[in-house]
């Protein structure tokens, strides 16, 4: 997972605040996936983005959550009006998006704690 | 749609003993299969992957896995574990570029 950057690594928010999680993919990768890992569980797919496009958001809650991957800059996962149930580790995975490519590269994650 | 079942949530084992972590999957299409390791408070590191070809796949840290299409399994094995192998292990499947479905994980605890 070297090369995929996520920040902050740890984020504490009070209920009702906003959380912004950032992911910078590996150099040359134009695709990003976001996953959420609740305590004692595996990773659950949230959203798949290509630069300036949302390809698949089938795993993202319909309210309060949004994601973007602008032409310049990192991908951002935004959670509005956080609740305690949003406490989790959020991982992004970088993907080259080239034909024949098959491996995602994971970042170190952002651990969100909602008080 | 795909699903992954990791049959053991916790596997305790003594150092230098062999270990097998079991993974079964279901999918209506051909899939890629992966095993990842996660150390406490860290991200996921790819151990090995099966795409096609030989059903026995060798990965890093002495791990290997065997793809069994008829049993839809992809069990992870290591002949002799070390204390440093203590971690969470995740099996994952992917039917298309990138997007993966993960199992709930198996906690491997290696005891001295």
């Amino acid at each position: 997972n070297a090369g995929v950057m996520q920040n902050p690594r740890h984020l504490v928010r009070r209920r009702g605040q906003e959380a912004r999680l950032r992911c910078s993919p590996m150099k040359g990768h134009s695709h990003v996936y976001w996953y959420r890992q609740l305590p004692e569980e595996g990773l659950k797919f949230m959203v798949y983005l290509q630069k300036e496009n949302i390809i698949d958001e089938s795993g993202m809650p319909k309210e309060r959550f949004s994601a973007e991957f602008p032409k310049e800059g990192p991908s951002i996962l935004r959670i509005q009006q956080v609740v305690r149930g949003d406490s989790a580790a959020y991982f992004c995975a970088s993907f080259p998006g080239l034909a024949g490519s098959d491996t995602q590269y994971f970042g170190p994650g952002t651990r969100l704690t909602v008080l | 749609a795909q699903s992954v079942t990791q049959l053991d949530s916790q596997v305790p084992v003594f150092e230098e003993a062999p270990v097998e972590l079991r993974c079964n999957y279901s999918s209506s299409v051909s899939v890629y299969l992966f095993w990842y390791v996660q150390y406490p408070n860290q991200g996921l590191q790819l151990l090995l992957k099966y795409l096609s070809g030989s059903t026995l796949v060798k990965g890093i840290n002495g791990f290997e896995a065997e793809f069994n299409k008829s049993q839809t399994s992809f069990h992870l094995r290591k002949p002799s574990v070390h204390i440093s192998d203590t971690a969470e292990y995740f099996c994952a499947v992917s039917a298309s570029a990138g997007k993966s479905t993960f199992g709930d994980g198996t906690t491997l605890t290696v005891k001295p």
Side-chain angles (χ1 to χ4, degrees):
Chain A
N1 56 5
V4 182
M5 309 275 289
Q6 287 189 251
N7 66 81
R9 293 291 305 277
H10 300 274
L11 182 61
V12 179
R13 285 287 178 266
R14 296 190 181 280
R15 282 178 296 170
Q17 292 184 317
E18 178 180 287
R20 280 184 181 240
L21 289 62
R22 295 174 182 77
C23 169
S24 297
M26 290 179 68
K27 186 177 180 181
H29 288 195
S30 58
H31 297 234
V32 165
Y33 295 78
W34 284 94
Y35 293 86
R36 178 167 63 178
Q37 183 181 31
L38 294 170
E40 310 297 325
E41 294 186 13
L43 278 70
K44 298 291 192 288
F45 167 78
M46 297 182 74
V47 62
Y48 167 31
L49 305 123
Q50 195 177 2
K51 278 194 180 286
E52 301 185 278
N53 282 309
I54 296 175
I55 306 301
D56 181 351
E57 56 182 350
S58 58
M60 196 129 84
K62 295 287 186 283
E63 298 180 353
R64 303 188 297 108
F65 285 73
S66 62
E68 62 177 6
F69 190 12
K71 186 176 180 180
E72 301 292 336
S75 175
I76 295 174
L77 179 67
R78 182 182 177 205
I79 311 171
Q80 296 178 288
Q81 299 176 334
V82 295
V83 300
R84 288 219 174 110
D86 297 331
S87 294
Y90 292 83
F91 292 95
C92 80
S94 169
F95 190 74
L98 301 173
S101 53
D102 52 64
T103 302
Q104 300 175 80
Y105 298 86
F106 283 84
T110 294
R111 281 155 181 82
L112 172 66
T113 301
V114 180
L115 301 177
Chain B
Q2 297 86 44
S3 67
V4 178
T5 302
Q6 292 186 240
L7 297 163
D8 308 292
S9 60
Q10 308 230 9
V11 174
V13 64
F14 286 105
E15 192 174 18
E16 298 184 5
V19 71
E20 178 180 78
L21 307 184
R22 298 180 293 168
C23 173
N24 285 93
Y25 70 94
S26 67
S27 176
S28 56
V29 299
S30 296
V31 294
Y32 301 152
L33 295 155
F34 304 84
W35 274 100
Y36 293 88
V37 60
Q38 184 181 34
Y39 298 102
N41 298 317
Q42 294 188 26
L44 274 70
Q45 181 181 3
L46 181 67
L47 275 177
L48 47 78
K49 60 186 177 185
Y50 172 78
L51 309 176
S52 63
S54 173
T55 57
L56 183 62
V57 180
K58 294 191 182 296
I60 63 170
N61 301 342
F63 284 94
E64 63 181 31
E66 185 159 17
F67 170 61
N68 187 319
K69 187 174 182 179
S70 62
Q71 296 185 4
T72 60
S73 68
F74 191 54
H75 300 334
L76 181 71
R77 301 186 183 100
K78 185 169 182 178
S80 176
V81 294
H82 302 291
I83 299 286
S84 59
D85 292 323
T86 294
E88 190 82 12
Y89 291 80
F90 292 97
C91 180
V93 300
S94 174
S96 62
K99 177 181 174 182
S100 295
T101 300
F102 286 81
D104 285 339
T106 297
T107 301
L108 174 64
T109 302
V110 181
K111 300 181 285 187

